[in-house]
């Protein structure tokens, strides 16, 4: 709503000059245009979709209180506009009396157009608050400009309430309905994979989100202004602010978390058999490795003397029992229970296979040492043979001693290692003259 421009003179001043004919005509033209703008604004306010929704809604809380005050303000607005209209029509009638208005006409027009020539009834004068204005509540007198200022303020406050409520209703219920539809699809999918209230935490969360969305929608419909955040910039424009979507956003994030969890359960359903087969294979390899380690331990104890051989644990009975439980969950389509169990089993099965391999390595270490000593002994004998020294009596004697130790059972690794070392020393001493002679000949 616009405000008419200043008219010549100062309203309310006794010595203000009387308007001349041209000033009167300009003021009437300006006020006529202002009248059209005010009427258009009031009719648009009357037909605003938000206003019709507020009139037909069962309101509560903040919205109920503010809409009651806004309805009173709108009633006052029309009363003020009626007074404005009557005054403008009276001024036009005076101006239409004659082409060249008389001094009396000009004085009367000056009072109507510039001075406090508008009488406002008491209820409209106090803005609908119920406070009496003027003697015995008969009303007050205003200039047209002051009247427009009052109408502008009432209009802005009324429109602010209507626009804010309409913005919340246009934003939140539609979003809530879309999220509720997505929630129903997620619930149906979750139930198909066993994610149900009382059986899975995500099922309980779905119930809580369902209740929250129902409460949120009812509250938004009944009290939209409770979900309106005024503009932080301090803007006085009607509707300056935004809908508060905090509760909706939290529900949407919670539903997204549940959707991801249900998707993970669905993935389990799709590849459960493959994962179970892999688990059986890993545990089978772990069992075979442990069996091999136990057999190797018996061999080591029989063939190696004076050696500490670690004990070998039994098969992972608990893991096999849990694997059987996982297979049962799959058979009964308890995917929500199968999902975390498979994740745990896969990690523990790999750990068990790694442990079995380490156990086999630790148990067979003495055999590996014996094999390395045998290889070293034969390698030195072959080297001596290439130099024609294999028949040396000392070397033959030390070789036989080391060989008997390494090929006897049980084998004393410490003594055998010492015997191999003595053979190496003798071989090294025997090879020195050969190397010196080779250098002399060159």
């Amino acid at each position: 709503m616009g405000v008419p421009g200043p008219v010549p003179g100062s309203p309310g001043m006794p010595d203000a000059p009387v308007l001349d004919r041209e000033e009167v005509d300009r003021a009437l033209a300006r006020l006529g245009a202002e009248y059209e703008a005010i009427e258009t604004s009031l009719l648009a306010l009357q037909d605003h979709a938000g206003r019709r929704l507020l009139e037909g809604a069962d309101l509560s809380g903040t919205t109920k209180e503010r809409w009651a005050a806004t309805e009173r303000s709108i009633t006052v607005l029309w009363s003020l506009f009626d007074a404005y209209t009557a005054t403008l029509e009276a001024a036009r009638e005076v101006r239409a009396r004659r082409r060249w208005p008389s001094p009396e006409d000009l004085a009367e027009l000056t009072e109507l157009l510039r001075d406090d020539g508008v009488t406002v009834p008491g209820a409209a004068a106090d803005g609908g608050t119920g406070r009496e204005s003027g003697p015995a509540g008969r009303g007050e007198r205003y200039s047209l400009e002051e009247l427009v200022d009052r109408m502008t303020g009432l209009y802005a406050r009324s429109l602010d309430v209507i626009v804010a409520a309409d913005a919340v209703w246009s934003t939140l219920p539609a979003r809530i309905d879309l999220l509720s539809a997505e929630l129903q699809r997620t619930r149906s999918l979750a139930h198909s994979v066993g994610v149900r209230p009382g059986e899975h935490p995500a099922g309980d969360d779905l119930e809580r989100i369902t209740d929250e969305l129902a409460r949120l929608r009812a509250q938004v419909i009944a009290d939209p202004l409770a979900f309106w955040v005024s503009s932080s910039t301090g803007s006085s424009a009607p509707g300056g602010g935004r809908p508060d979507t905090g509760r909706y956003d939290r529900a949407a994030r919670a539903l997204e978390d549940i959707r991801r969890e249900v998707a993970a359960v669905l993935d389990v359903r799709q590849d459960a058999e493959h994962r179970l087969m892999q688990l059986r294979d890993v545990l089978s390899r772990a069992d075979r490795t442990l069996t091999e380690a136990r057999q190797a331990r018996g061999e080591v104890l029989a063939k190696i003397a004076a050696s500490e051989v670690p004990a070998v644990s039994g098969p992972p009975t608990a893991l096999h029992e849990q694997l059987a439980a996982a297979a049962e969950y799959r058979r009964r389509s308890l995917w929500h229970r199968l999902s975390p169990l498979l994740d745990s089993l896969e990690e523990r099965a790999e750990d068990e296979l790694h442990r079995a391999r380490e156990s086999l390595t630790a148990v067979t270490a003495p055999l590996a040492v014996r094999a390395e000593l045998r290889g070293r002994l034969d390698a030195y004998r072959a080297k001596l043979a290439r130099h024609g020294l294999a028949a040396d009596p000392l070397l033959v004697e030390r070789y036989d001693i080391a060989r008997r130790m390494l090929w006897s059972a049980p084998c004393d690794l410490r003594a055998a290692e010492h015997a191999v070392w003595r053979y190496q020393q003798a071989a090294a001493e025997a090879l020195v003259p050969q190397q010196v002679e080779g250098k002399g000949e060159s």
Side-chain angles (χ1 to χ4, degrees):
M1 295 175 65
V3 179
V7 295
S10 303
M13 299 295 293
D15 56 348
V18 175
L19 298 174
D20 59 27
R21 181 177 65 85
E22 293 181 354
E23 291 172 333
V24 166
D25 289 343
R26 285 197 299 271
L28 285 173
R30 184 169 58 251
L31 291 171
E34 185 67 33
Y35 169 85
E36 296 293 337
I38 295 173
E39 184 181 42
T40 299
S41 297
L42 289 178
L43 291 175
L45 183 68
Q46 193 74 12
D47 293 335
H48 197 289
R51 181 181 185 276
R52 293 196 296 271
L53 289 173
L54 283 165
E55 284 183 334
D58 184 12
L59 302 175
S60 64
T62 301
T63 306
K64 183 177 182 179
E65 296 175 3
R66 293 187 63 184
W67 175 238
T70 300
E71 284 188 306
R72 292 193 296 269
S73 296
I74 292 174
T75 301
V76 171
L77 257 176
W78 282 105
S79 297
L80 297 178
F81 181 68
D82 289 341
Y84 180 92
T85 302
T87 302
L88 183 58
E89 290 177 351
R92 285 172 173 171
E93 289 176 1
V94 174
R95 179 64 185 88
R97 289 174 186 168
R98 51 184 65 84
R99 181 177 181 184
W100 300 97
S102 65
E104 291 78 10
D105 292 340
L106 292 175
E108 185 176 354
L109 286 168
T110 298
E111 181 182 2
L112 290 172
L113 299 178
R114 188 183 63 191
D115 299 337
D116 53 351
V118 185
T119 301
V120 177
D126 63 23
T129 62
R131 178 180 56 82
E132 290 189 350
S133 302
R138 289 193 297 271
E140 294 183 1
R141 296 179 64 82
Y142 296 89
S143 68
L144 288 174
E145 184 175 355
E146 292 171 340
L147 199 61
V148 169
D149 287 340
R150 291 203 59 202
M151 285 191 290
T152 299
L154 289 172
Y155 174 84
R157 290 193 294 274
S158 301
L159 185 61
D160 182 67
V161 170
I162 293 172
V163 168
D166 187 52
V168 172
W169 278 335
S170 299
T171 301
L172 277 174
R175 291 189 184 183
I176 294 170
D177 291 342
L178 288 174
L179 189 62
S180 296
E182 181 62 32
L183 175 64
Q184 291 306 316
R185 288 192 291 271
T186 303
R187 286 184 64 182
S188 177
L189 190 60
H191 280 216
S192 70
V193 294
V195 179
R196 301 182 179 91
E199 298 181 10
H200 193 281
D204 298 331
D205 292 339
L206 280 172
E207 290 299 307
R208 283 194 291 271
I209 296 173
T210 300
D211 295 341
E212 167 65 5
L213 289 180
R215 288 194 302 270
L216 179 60
R217 194 182 194 286
Q219 292 169 6
V220 166
I221 295 301
D223 191 8
L225 294 183
F227 297 87
W228 182 254
V229 180
S230 299
S231 174
S232 59
T233 61
S235 172
S236 60
R242 60 175 179 81
D244 181 5
T245 61
R247 286 174 60 183
Y248 166 85
D249 293 337
R250 287 191 293 274
R253 287 193 296 270
L255 180 58
E256 182 60 28
D257 291 340
I258 294 174
R259 287 178 59 188
R260 285 196 292 268
E261 186 166 350
V262 172
V265 175
L266 282 172
D267 291 340
V268 170
R269 183 173 70 174
Q270 292 171 359
D271 62 358
E273 183 59 31
H274 176 68
R275 293 175 69 181
L276 284 170
M277 289 178 61
Q278 286 186 322
L279 276 170
R280 293 189 187 100
D281 179 64
V282 171
L283 288 178
S284 177
R285 281 185 285 158
D287 287 345
R288 290 196 301 270
T289 303
L290 287 175
T291 300
E292 185 179 352
R294 284 191 292 272
Q295 293 173 349
R297 186 173 187 272
E299 181 182 354
V300 169
L301 292 175
K303 295 180 177 180
I304 307 297
S307 178
E308 294 182 1
V309 184
V312 179
S313 64
T317 306
L319 289 182
H320 283 285
E321 292 175 352
Q322 290 180 343
L323 181 60
E328 180 66 13
Y329 287 159
R330 180 186 177 280
R331 188 185 67 79
R332 296 169 56 192
S333 298
L334 298 176
W335 311 110
H336 63 290
R337 294 186 179 179
L338 180 59
S339 175
L341 182 56
L342 284 179
D343 292 339
S344 172
L345 276 174
E346 285 170 343
E347 182 178 354
R348 294 173 61 193
E350 289 294 337
D351 290 343
E352 181 63 25
L353 178 58
H354 179 69
R355 184 182 65 83
R357 287 170 174 169
E358 287 184 336
S359 181
L360 178 60
T361 300
V363 165
T364 57
L367 294 176
V369 171
R370 187 184 68 173
E372 191 274 332
L373 291 174
R374 286 177 174 180
R376 196 193 316 170
L377 181 66
D378 288 341
Y380 269 91
R381 187 170 185 272
K383 185 175 182 180
L384 291 170
R386 288 197 301 271
H387 289 81
L389 300 174
D392 182 276
L394 177 61
L395 292 173
V396 170
E397 178 187 0
R398 292 192 177 182
Y399 174 80
D400 290 340
I401 293 173
R403 191 177 188 284
R404 282 196 303 272
M405 289 185 178
L406 287 173
W407 267 267
S408 62
C411 171
D412 188 337
L413 280 181
R414 293 186 180 87
E417 185 176 12
H418 181 69
V420 170
W421 176 80
R422 292 183 66 213
Y423 180 68
Q424 288 179 236
Q425 290 294 104
E429 293 172 358
L431 289 172
V432 169
Q434 295 285 331
Q435 293 172 352
V436 171
E437 290 177 7
K439 290 181 180 180
E441 291 175 359
S442 62

